[in-house]
Amino acid sequence: MTTLADRLKDADLLKTDSFINGQWVGADTRFAVNSPGDRSHLADVADVGGAGARSAIDAADKAFKGWGKTSVFERARIVQRWHDLILEHADDLGTLITAEMGKPFGEAKGEVTYGAGFVNWSAEEAKRLHGETLQTPFPGTRGWTVRQPVGVVVCITPWNFPSAMITRKCGPALAAGCSVVVKPAPETPLSALALAELARRAGFPDGVFNVICGDAKAIGEVMTSSDAVRMVGFTGSTEVGKLLMRQAADGVKRVSLELGGNAPFIIMDDADLDAAADGVIASKFRAAGQTCVSANRIIAQAGIADALIERVTERMKKLKVGSGFESGVQIGPLIHDEAVERVDALVQDAKGKGAKVLVGGSPMADELGGSFYAPTLIESGSNFSLSIANSEIFGPVASVYRVESEEEIIRLANSTPYGLAAYVYTRDIGRVHRLSEGLEFGMVGVNAPMVGSPATPFGGVKESGIGREGGKWGVEEFTELKFVLLGGVNK
Ligand code: ADP
């Protein structure tokens, strides 16, 4: 039987202990990591718990004192080395993602490259963290601003992008001069630990970059209550984000939260319908629909709804479902069996309330031997009260709605507590402006099904979060703006 280590070109990237203060630290308690694609056991990872969190934060606190003061050029060299090593080992990092999370290998490798882009960008961008000289009202004074690193940052990350959600936070944090403690999701610790091994090789001083695995609640409590921690970066559910925000409030820690979404994918009657159907497939089925920016409500203007459904159906029938390691597969498994049950419950509920299932509509676990769900297309009419319209589907289920007017489309699209990504397909320039301005979302893709890149701001409004990752904003997020007033300048 091929083990995970056998699949790697560099088996040393397979780590199962936590990385604290430059050392690999084990624990008596371990938790199993299993592959959602075939249910095989991959590894037993040490749970270092609250005690591990404490020692990692202590190490990060000590390390920050030096790292925060090094020249940005020196820091950027090490951050850049980390980037280069990530790309050099993209095959292995992709293999780890596919094994523990399930997404197709090509997509997994794409995630590695995408995530590495933030590391590279940040290494460059941190050199441009400029201050300004300011006018002052007081005679004989001068004023200026400087940007300084926030301090010790903790990052709590999800399983759907096991690699990129870490690099997207840690690239800018490290380049800005912060030290970091990462807690990855229990489903996908191996990608995080491999990144730690590459950070070790890149030459970060001990304690600057730490990865700890284990009990989320215990670790989260230590992280949010420690005086040394100045910032909590989180990507995950809105529920846990709110909890962490409440916990961080006592110490008035900075929070950067990237939470759930309920993306409307709007197709207006003047749209290029082939491009829109391609967009639906790209947005809906990447990572089997398990992304916070996945199309959640496909809103077609009534006149073109049938033509769109026909095009989407045609494309969906060609999607290949299976193990992420099998060539040609576009849809891998969901993260675990509970996810399959949750997605199926949404589909059955919609069906019971009158929605029509046009493609798929059931689990494929029995035939494929893993946590699979068939790519599914549902026609939900104009029933926006369905659970499937109001919860994040996080699965390969496309639910299409029909709405007549532009005003009603904007109103319905905004009728959610979430505000992460929205998509609009139209060729009318007036509509481009009216919709992109009217939609209460942090990002709007117009005739574009994907919105994230290292150079651009990623983040949400309303209950989808606070803060932005990417671009100059993603680096600034990890800095404090300090004002200095100098007196006694006049003789
Ligand atoms: P999902 O439901 O997609 O797994 P979560 O928000 O539960 O999303 O998980 C995202 C990250 O938050 C994971 O690393 C998880 O371990 C962590 N997490 C979950 N609960 C807590 C908690 N109480 N305190 C700190 N971290 C938590």
Side-chain angles (χ1 to χ4, degrees):
M1 203 183 80
T2 325
T3 65
L4 180 53
D6 296 337
R7 286 187 186 270
L8 301 176
K9 294 175 186 161
D10 180 348
D12 256 358
L13 291 181
L14 183 57
K15 299 289 184 196
T16 56
D17 288 342
S18 285
F19 187 65
I20 301 174
N21 203 21
Q23 309 287 324
W24 294 102
V25 177
D28 293 339
T29 318
R30 291 193 167 257
F31 61 95
V33 181
N34 298 314
S35 186
D38 60 5
R39 304 202 163 100
S40 61
H41 174 257
L42 297 173
D44 289 311
V45 170
D47 175 351
V48 296
R54 249 172 249 118
S55 48
I57 291 166
D58 280 350
D61 191 28
K62 289 200 184 81
F64 172 67
K65 297 187 170 62
W67 182 249
K69 292 200 177 74
T70 44
S71 138
V72 69
F73 289 87
E74 174 56 22
R75 285 202 303 267
R77 262 195 294 277
I78 302 177
V79 172
Q80 187 64 39
R81 245 189 332 259
W82 190 37
H83 161 266
D84 297 347
L85 286 166
I86 292 171
L87 286 191
E88 225 171 87
H89 293 88
D91 279 342
D92 281 351
L93 294 173
T95 297
L96 290 173
I97 294 174
T98 300
E100 61 183 351
M101 185 276 170
K103 68 177 70 169
F105 178 68
E107 218 182 291
K109 232 179 120 176
E111 176 189 334
V112 174
T113 316
Y114 164 79
F118 288 82
V119 179
N120 173 51
W121 172 276
S122 307
E124 288 302 318
E125 193 61 19
K127 295 173 194 163
R128 288 182 276 276
L129 283 170
H130 305 304
E132 288 172 282
T133 54
L134 306 176
Q135 302 296 338
T136 63
F138 319 112
T141 64
R142 298 289 186 275
W144 65 89
T145 58
V146 284
R147 286 208 170 263
Q148 293 182 307
V150 166
V152 176
V153 175
V154 296
C155 300
I156 300 178
T157 55
W159 48 260
N160 60 343
F161 289 92
S163 189
M165 291 305 104
I166 294 176
T167 50
R168 204 159 85 170
K169 291 174 174 49
C170 297
L174 293 164
C178 299
S179 55
V180 180
V181 181
V182 179
K183 192 213 81 68
E187 293 86 350
T188 58
L190 304 177
S191 297
L193 295 169
L195 287 173
E197 168 60 12
L198 295 176
R200 190 191 66 72
R201 295 182 196 176
F204 287 101
D206 291 349
V208 166
F209 183 74
N210 308 272
V211 177
I212 54 169
C213 302
D215 186 315
K217 188 167 175 292
I219 293 175
E221 280 169 4
V222 171
M223 284 177 154
T224 48
S225 62
S226 160
D227 288 338
V229 171
R230 289 313 323 148
M231 176 167 167
V232 179
F234 173 76
T235 298
S237 63
T238 296
E239 185 194 348
V240 174
K242 287 180 181 176
L243 173 80
L244 292 172
M245 196 174 175
R246 275 195 289 271
Q247 289 180 189
D250 257 352
V252 196
K253 296 184 198 317
R254 179 180 294 204
V255 291
S256 176
L257 308 171
E258 205 259 274
L259 310 176
N262 183 0
F265 194 107
I266 299 167
I267 303 103
M268 302 302 289
D269 56 12
D270 64 281
D272 173 339
L273 292 185
D274 285 314
D278 288 343
V280 167
I281 301 294
S283 170
K284 181 70 247 182
F285 296 105
R286 184 166 64 114
Q290 302 171 104
T291 93
C292 46
V293 292
S294 299
N296 213 55
R297 295 168 294 161
I298 298 162
I299 307 177
Q301 204 165 10
I304 49 83
D306 287 333
L308 178 84
I309 287 170
E310 190 186 312
R311 284 167 170 79
V312 172
T313 306
E314 233 169 66
R315 286 159 173 78
M316 279 182 64
K317 287 191 169 150
K318 294 189 194 131
L319 292 173
K320 188 171 169 194
V321 186
S323 157
F325 287 117
E326 207 182 308
S327 84
V329 158
Q330 291 139 297
I331 314 255
L334 300 192
I335 189 66
H336 38 46
D337 291 343
E338 298 87 86
V340 174
E341 282 162 30
R342 202 187 45 76
V343 168
D344 194 44
L346 286 174
V347 171
Q348 299 318 323
D349 175 74
K351 208 170 144 185
K353 291 181 178 142
K356 278 185 269 174
V357 176
L358 304 177
V359 182
S362 55
M364 294 175 83
D366 293 343
E367 36 187 310
L368 294 172
S371 308
F372 293 91
Y373 199 84
T376 297
L377 181 64
I378 298 185
E379 228 235 274
S380 303
S382 45
N383 189 354
F384 281 83
S385 64
L386 295 171
S387 295
I388 205 161
N390 294 293
S391 35
E392 213 172 5
I393 301 170
F394 245 60
V397 178
S399 176
V400 182
Y401 305 83
R402 299 169 185 254
V403 184
E404 294 283 344
S405 76
E406 185 181 312
E407 293 70 29
E408 190 61 356
I409 286 176
I410 295 178
R411 189 187 71 75
L412 287 163
N414 288 339
S415 64
T416 163
Y418 297 106
L420 192 57
Y423 308 88
V424 181
Y425 277 68
T426 177
R427 285 179 289 193
D428 177 316
I429 191 68
R431 277 181 166 166
V432 169
H433 288 283
R434 288 195 300 276
L435 282 148
S436 63
E437 288 163 19
L439 290 166
E440 296 161 358
F441 292 80
M443 297 166 286
V444 182
V446 181
N447 300 325
M450 253 171 256
V451 285
S453 93
T456 53
F458 189 105
V461 300
K462 292 159 80 178
E463 292 188 23
S464 286
I466 291 178
R468 293 293 180 269
E469 295 179 334
K472 65 173 178 166
W473 309 274
V475 183
E476 281 176 3
E477 195 85 16
F478 293 96
T479 65
E480 292 286 3
L481 184 66
K482 182 181 277 180
F483 171 60
V484 183
L485 182 74
L486 173 74
V489 173
N490 292 351
K491 278 205 208 166

